[in-house]
Amino acid sequence: MVEKRKPLSVKVAIDKVMNYAIEGIGEKLSLDQSYGRFLAEDLVADHPVPPFDRSPYDGFAIRSIDSKNARSDNPIEFEVIDEIGAGSVSEYTLGNMQAIRIMTGAQMPVGSDAVVMLELTTVTKRNKKTYMTLKRSFNEGDNISFKGEDTQAGTVLVKKGTYITPGVVALLATFGYDSVTVSRKPKIGIIATGSELLEIGEPLVPGKIRNSNSYMIMSQVHRSGAEPVYLGKLQDDLDSCYEAVKNALTKVDFLITTGGVSVGDYDFLPDIYNRLGANVLFNKVAMRPGSVTTVAEVNGKLLFGLSGNPSACYVGFELFMRPVVRYYLQSSQPHLKMIQATLGKDFLKPNPFTRFVRGKLTYSDSRLEALPVGLDKSNVVTSLADATVFITLPGGTRGFKAGDQVNALLLEDQDGSEIPWAESFK
Amino acid sequence: MVEKRKPLSVKVAIDKVMNYAIEGIGEKLSLDQSYGRFLAEDLVADHPVPPFDRSPYDGFAIRSIDSKNARSDNPIEFEVIDEIGAGSVSEYTLGNMQAIRIMTGAQMPVGSDAVVMLELTTVTKRNKKTYMTLKRSFNEGDNISFKGEDTQAGTVLVKKGTYITPGVVALLATFGYDSVTVSRKPKIGIIATGSELLEIGEPLVPGKIRNSNSYMIMSQVHRSGAEPVYLGKLQDDLDSCYEAVKNALTKVDFLITTGGVSVGDYDFLPDIYNRLGANVLFNKVAMRPGSVTTVAEVNGKLLFGLSGNPSACYVGFELFMRPVVRYYLQSSQPHLKMIQATLGKDFLKPNPFTRFVRGKLTYSDSRLEALPVGLDKSNVVTSLADATVFITLPGGTRGFKAGDQVNALLLEDQDGSEIPWAESFK
């Protein structure tokens, strides 16, 4: 049966999926395991920064009043009564015309109110005592980093949902998080359908292709921040597929199937959705590639029916599955980041649907150019490997010319964006 | 002893380090483990693409000559003698006025030379036979994807040294790589020095700070593509440090120490280098932060003495250690990617040295703006967490104004660039 399907706009389709997105739970990890995960708690300062008045330089702590009359023609000498490393605290209180040698980061000694940089001093020794001479005056507070001047204790420094970069790890360490609550990775089941699929190690035979989509999606799942669970490859047989899908839904947080969603005679995902009593959110989207992308919901669990075509499968994952993963990870910016760029090459094929064209960004003189890849026979095979963006061309009757302003979605970015940017893709 | 040091330009310093960079060896991994690693072999097409003449559409395979007279006022009828799914091959040879129902991706039947899309046909049944009618003519070769038209067998599709994205995984699968040789991750030892360092879980006490650099660097090591080996925190004691460093060098491919490289009295990395008989490539670089970065070589093994200051430590890693890691992983673009952007905010502090200012990129209307973060007290603490680029401001006597064209180094990018871009940073 050839089914008639009404295409939905990309924006509406994304909104429909996001209605069923759910937030996941957290799990505690030791700090050294946290890189690349997503915070499931706010990062809060457990102490002020700096935690005490301290010296930002190697030099000498002095009482500024003692330096009042120091000039190049009137050097003033101080007695050096102690020296303190970054991890030490002096037991002395500074008196009249006294100085304490102080290292970068060390706490200001009691009685001191300024730091003189080492290179502005001359050090001499006499009668087993050390003296320091200066030729200019200092004011109270000079060269001191004051307690709490950067951050007060209790401040929220990084919000939950944030991707944990090396810089975030540094902050976690600074504020005492030897363990940290990150979002548990959702488990995403992957089922490939199609009797034409060979295992990767099998030799090619006429009429068959290797099952590349499953491996590609497993990698996309990793990149999105989730955990793939490969559930195998099914024959084009309705009963076994139905059982497999039904069974899979009990084991994973989300389920992806690839293939079986076209309107060809052998594509029976629609029948499986029927038998499951699934609520099909849509089975056609006004986009290319990926127009046959189907998303359904069974008892609140999302089921993504991606195309068997690799490019369509890839796009379907990034547009619909990725934001659901990022929402689960509590990100407030779950969608792919969209930027503006200048189209680097003509793309003249008109299309009623929004196109997602594989492309690369080039940067020059602050201008961003988005160059389609895979338009020629010579690079069509490698275009998914070469692409770092999807150039998004709104549907319409005209093509696009080099120099036109276009939008592009960043595939390797961790920031994301807040809104489903697709407002313009009605 | 306060040592005099001559600062090297960033470019010269990077060149000196890269003289000692070495390529690592490969290891075989199963394909599903390969995402995020670096190829240690070229990815070669094991078969032509398409592997056989095939149909790009759902429809009917015909002999084009039979459609010659078809027009809207002269529909032509074909007998449908077989139907083939994507994984099947027809056993029939097409004869006069015959058609075979064909699915997307299926191999062209013998005798056919064109495909008619399903939606251009009308299908009827009579006497247990199926017929298909068309109303326009087709030419030889219409709607066929020909064997090898995209790629010939033996073509190198992705070069070794490339970062393995989901798109690369798809290609590997397509061309039969059920296992793939990736570069072994180099082991990078990390030693923190400084008696002021507390463990992350310890409460703050006067004069002490938590050991955030080690955790930050472990994450940077992961991001660069290497494997961190944390070797612990040492006291400010020369003998134990010397033994630890000497011992560590036997266990890892590269060694990083943090702290102990300033000219303060408690910093004795220089003495350790002496005792090891190390060749110190440089101990001062004309950059800020990170001017005290030291790199030495002992029997061909590189030893990175990074600053104890977190920002300086971070920059030192990205400029000097990262390209060495990427070279080890056989990348031909080991350095951070540099792009041009418009400075989004005044940065008026002049400096004789090249500055690496933590920043963020914003995109609008194809223009890239680089916005410094951490200039204000309010965000100095989170600046490393907020930064996605280093804005590079060449040394000189003037500051920079909003609107100036500047360069920025991308921290989260996997592409990299070929040259040490620092030509301009003499």
Side-chain angles (χ1 to χ4, degrees):
Chain A
M1 181 201 68
V2 177
E3 191 190 350
K4 279 277 169 205
R5 299 179 175 187
K6 190 180 168 305
L8 241 57
S9 82
V10 175
K11 164 81 168 74
V12 171
I14 291 174
D15 285 347
K16 276 184 179 263
V17 174
M18 294 310 284
N19 279 340
Y20 289 92
I22 50 165
E23 286 197 353
I25 56 169
E27 62 182 342
K28 206 101 169 158
L29 285 188
S30 71
L31 180 58
D32 62 351
Q33 303 285 307
S34 68
Y35 167 67
R37 301 294 294 267
F38 290 76
L39 281 177
E41 58 178 324
D42 289 340
L43 193 169
V44 179
D46 76 331
H47 63 78
V49 178
F52 42 77
D53 294 351
R54 69 185 175 194
S55 172
Y57 301 113
D58 275 341
F60 293 91
I62 62 167
R63 306 183 334 154
S64 58
I65 193 167
D66 295 338
S67 72
K68 203 172 54 180
N69 300 315
R71 287 188 310 277
S72 54
D73 59 355
N74 183 40
I76 304 250
E77 189 177 78
F78 292 75
E79 186 192 347
V80 180
I81 59 165
D82 194 8
E83 67 174 65
I84 40 174
S88 311
V89 181
S90 181
E91 287 164 11
Y92 294 86
T93 298
L94 269 194
N96 195 19
M97 302 311 295
Q98 291 181 332
I100 289 180
R101 175 82 176 88
I102 191 168
M103 307 302 158
T104 304
Q107 186 164 351
M108 295 296 292
V110 180
S112 67
D113 67 2
V115 168
V116 181
M117 286 85 101
L118 189 63
E119 53 270 34
L120 301 181
T121 65
T122 315
V123 177
T124 51
K125 296 211 175 203
R126 249 186 0 256
N127 306 327
K128 299 189 177 164
K129 285 187 170 175
T130 304
Y131 296 89
M132 176 276 286
T133 307
L134 358 141
K135 295 182 168 177
R136 52 158 283 203
S137 64
F138 288 81
N139 294 318
E140 189 181 333
D142 275 358
N143 301 317
I144 296 177
S145 297
F146 291 101
K147 175 178 175 173
E149 72 176 12
D150 295 342
T151 295
Q152 300 293 326
T155 308
V156 172
L157 298 172
V158 183
K159 287 204 180 294
K160 76 172 178 178
T162 301
Y163 176 76
I164 301 177
T165 60
V168 173
V169 169
L171 265 194
L172 286 164
T174 301
F175 293 103
Y177 290 82
D178 55 351
S179 67
V180 56
T181 306
V182 304
S183 285
R184 188 178 77 79
K185 295 182 178 194
K187 285 192 172 56
I188 301 186
I190 298 161
I191 294 179
T193 72
S195 54
E196 79 279 19
L197 296 180
L198 297 171
E199 290 305 326
I200 307 306
E202 290 186 79
L204 276 191
V205 292
K208 305 266 179 180
I209 57 167
R210 293 192 182 112
N211 176 18
S212 63
N213 282 355
S214 297
Y215 290 86
M216 179 182 79
I217 292 177
M218 281 190 264
S219 309
Q220 289 178 285
V221 167
H222 279 300
R223 182 170 65 185
S224 73
E227 187 187 322
V229 181
Y230 181 48
L231 298 167
K233 178 174 76 72
L234 297 179
Q235 298 305 305
D236 275 340
D237 161 59
L238 179 59
D239 287 331
S240 67
C241 271
Y242 168 71
E243 286 302 327
V245 169
K246 198 179 144 192
N247 193 2
L249 281 169
T250 65
K251 291 184 193 160
V252 297
D253 298 299
F254 305 100
L255 183 63
I256 294 174
T257 56
T258 69
V261 288
S262 297
V263 291
D265 295 3
Y266 292 102
D267 297 325
F268 42 67
L269 251 294
D271 293 333
I272 292 179
Y273 296 143
N274 269 340
R275 279 215 217 172
L276 288 168
N279 167 21
V280 175
L281 307 185
F282 52 84
N283 58 17
K284 184 143 190 155
V285 186
M287 61 190 252
R288 185 166 296 250
S291 64
V292 295
T293 306
T294 299
V295 180
E297 165 262 324
V298 187
N299 300 324
K301 199 165 272 188
L302 287 167
L303 223 151
F304 294 80
L306 303 182
S307 167
N309 169 284
S311 298
C313 184
Y314 190 109
V315 172
F317 182 94
E318 297 298 331
L319 292 188
F320 302 109
M321 181 79 252
R322 182 198 192 271
V324 168
V325 171
R326 290 292 167 93
Y327 190 91
Y328 189 96
L329 299 173
Q330 308 192 39
S331 169
S332 58
Q333 306 191 138
H335 301 280
L336 288 176
K337 184 171 205 153
M338 174 167 274
I339 61 162
Q340 289 83 46
T342 305
L343 188 63
K345 219 180 197 174
D346 288 352
F347 191 93
L348 299 174
K349 276 186 276 187
N351 194 305
F353 290 171
T354 301
R355 265 187 203 277
F356 294 89
V357 178
R358 298 175 285 287
K360 269 182 180 175
L361 288 184
T362 59
Y363 301 84
S364 68
D365 297 337
S366 297
R367 293 202 74 77
L368 269 175
E369 196 177 86
L371 200 66
V373 294
L375 297 188
D376 310 316
K377 293 283 179 204
S378 68
N379 59 11
V380 66
V381 168
T382 57
S383 63
L384 270 181
D386 295 338
T388 56
V389 298
F390 278 118
I391 304 167
T392 56
L393 304 177
T397 49
R398 65 180 190 97
F400 292 82
K401 292 215 153 145
D404 283 354
Q405 286 303 98
V406 294
N407 291 313
L409 296 168
L410 303 184
L411 297 170
E412 290 285 340
D413 160 85
Q414 292 295 358
D415 260 10
S417 55
E418 206 166 318
I419 46 145
W421 26 251
E423 293 294 344
S424 50
F425 310 153
K426 293 298 167 0
Chain B
M1 182 200 65
V2 177
E3 191 191 350
K4 278 277 169 206
R5 298 178 177 189
K6 190 179 168 302
L8 239 57
S9 81
V10 174
K11 164 80 168 76
V12 171
I14 290 174
D15 285 347
K16 274 184 182 264
V17 174
M18 293 310 284
N19 279 338
Y20 290 92
I22 50 164
E23 286 196 353
I25 55 168
E27 61 182 344
K28 206 101 170 159
L29 284 188
S30 71
L31 180 57
D32 61 351
Q33 303 285 307
S34 69
Y35 167 67
R37 301 295 294 269
F38 289 77
L39 281 178
E41 58 177 325
D42 289 340
L43 193 170
V44 178
D46 76 330
H47 64 77
V49 178
F52 42 76
D53 294 351
R54 69 186 176 196
S55 171
Y57 300 113
D58 274 341
F60 291 91
I62 61 164
R63 304 182 334 153
S64 57
I65 192 166
D66 294 338
S67 72
K68 205 171 54 179
N69 300 316
R71 286 188 311 277
S72 54
D73 58 353
N74 184 38
I76 304 250
E77 189 179 76
F78 292 73
E79 184 192 350
V80 180
I81 58 166
D82 194 10
E83 67 174 66
I84 40 175
S88 311
V89 179
S90 180
E91 286 165 12
Y92 294 86
T93 298
L94 268 195
N96 194 20
M97 301 312 293
Q98 292 182 328
I100 289 179
R101 176 82 175 89
I102 191 169
M103 307 300 157
T104 303
Q107 186 164 351
M108 295 296 292
V110 179
S112 67
D113 66 0
V115 168
V116 181
M117 287 85 102
L118 189 62
E119 53 269 37
L120 301 181
T121 65
T122 315
V123 177
T124 52
K125 296 209 178 208
R126 252 189 354 259
N127 306 328
K128 297 186 177 164
K129 286 187 173 177
T130 305
Y131 297 89
M132 175 274 285
T133 306
L134 20 126
K135 295 181 170 180
R136 53 160 283 204
S137 64
F138 288 80
N139 294 317
E140 188 181 335
D142 274 359
N143 301 318
I144 296 177
S145 297
F146 290 102
K147 175 177 176 174
E149 73 177 13
D150 295 342
T151 294
Q152 299 293 325
T155 309
V156 172
L157 297 172
V158 183
K159 285 201 180 298
K160 74 174 179 179
T162 301
Y163 176 75
I164 300 177
T165 59
V168 173
V169 169
L171 265 194
L172 286 164
T174 301
F175 293 103
Y177 289 82
D178 56 349
S179 68
V180 55
T181 307
V182 304
S183 285
R184 189 179 74 80
K185 295 183 178 195
K187 285 192 169 58
I188 302 186
I190 299 160
I191 294 178
T193 71
S195 55
E196 80 280 18
L197 296 181
L198 297 171
E199 289 305 327
I200 307 306
E202 290 186 79
L204 276 190
V205 294
K208 305 266 181 182
I209 57 168
R210 293 191 183 112
N211 176 20
S212 63
N213 283 354
S214 297
Y215 290 87
M216 178 181 77
I217 292 178
M218 280 190 267
S219 309
Q220 289 178 283
V221 167
H222 279 301
R223 183 170 63 186
S224 73
E227 186 187 323
V229 182
Y230 182 47
L231 298 166
K233 177 173 78 70
L234 298 178
Q235 298 304 305
D236 276 339
D237 161 56
L238 181 56
D239 287 330
S240 67
C241 273
Y242 167 72
E243 287 301 327
V245 169
K246 198 178 143 193
N247 193 359
L249 282 169
T250 65
K251 291 184 195 159
V252 295
D253 298 299
F254 305 101
L255 184 63
I256 294 174
T257 57
T258 68
V261 289
S262 295
V263 292
D265 294 3
Y266 292 101
D267 297 326
F268 43 65
L269 251 292
D271 292 333
I272 291 178
Y273 296 144
N274 270 339
R275 279 215 217 172
L276 288 169
N279 168 22
V280 175
L281 306 184
F282 52 83
N283 57 17
K284 186 144 189 154
V285 186
M287 62 190 251
R288 185 167 296 248
S291 65
V292 296
T293 306
T294 299
V295 180
E297 165 261 324
V298 187
N299 300 325
K301 200 165 268 186
L302 286 167
L303 222 151
F304 295 80
L306 303 182
S307 168
N309 169 284
S311 297
C313 184
Y314 190 109
V315 172
F317 182 94
E318 297 297 332
L319 292 187
F320 302 109
M321 181 79 253
R322 181 197 193 270
V324 167
V325 171
R326 290 292 167 96
Y327 190 91
Y328 189 96
L329 299 173
Q330 309 193 42
S331 169
S332 58
Q333 306 191 135
H335 302 281
L336 289 176
K337 184 169 205 155
M338 174 166 275
I339 59 160
Q340 289 83 47
T342 305
L343 188 63
K345 218 179 198 176
D346 288 351
F347 191 93
L348 299 172
K349 277 185 275 185
N351 192 305
F353 291 170
T354 300
R355 266 187 203 277
F356 294 90
V357 179
R358 297 175 285 288
K360 268 183 181 176
L361 287 184
T362 59
Y363 301 82
S364 68
D365 297 337
S366 298
R367 294 203 71 80
L368 270 175
E369 195 176 84
L371 200 68
V373 294
L375 297 187
D376 310 318
K377 293 283 179 206
S378 68
N379 60 10
V380 66
V381 167
T382 57
S383 63
L384 270 181
D386 296 337
T388 55
V389 298
F390 278 118
I391 304 166
T392 55
L393 304 177
T397 49
R398 66 180 191 95
F400 292 82
K401 294 216 151 143
D404 285 354
Q405 287 300 98
V406 295
N407 291 313
L409 295 169
L410 303 184
L411 296 170
E412 290 283 342
D413 159 87
Q414 292 296 355
D415 260 10
S417 53
E418 205 167 317
I419 47 146
W421 25 250
E423 293 295 343
S424 50
F425 310 151
K426 294 298 170 350

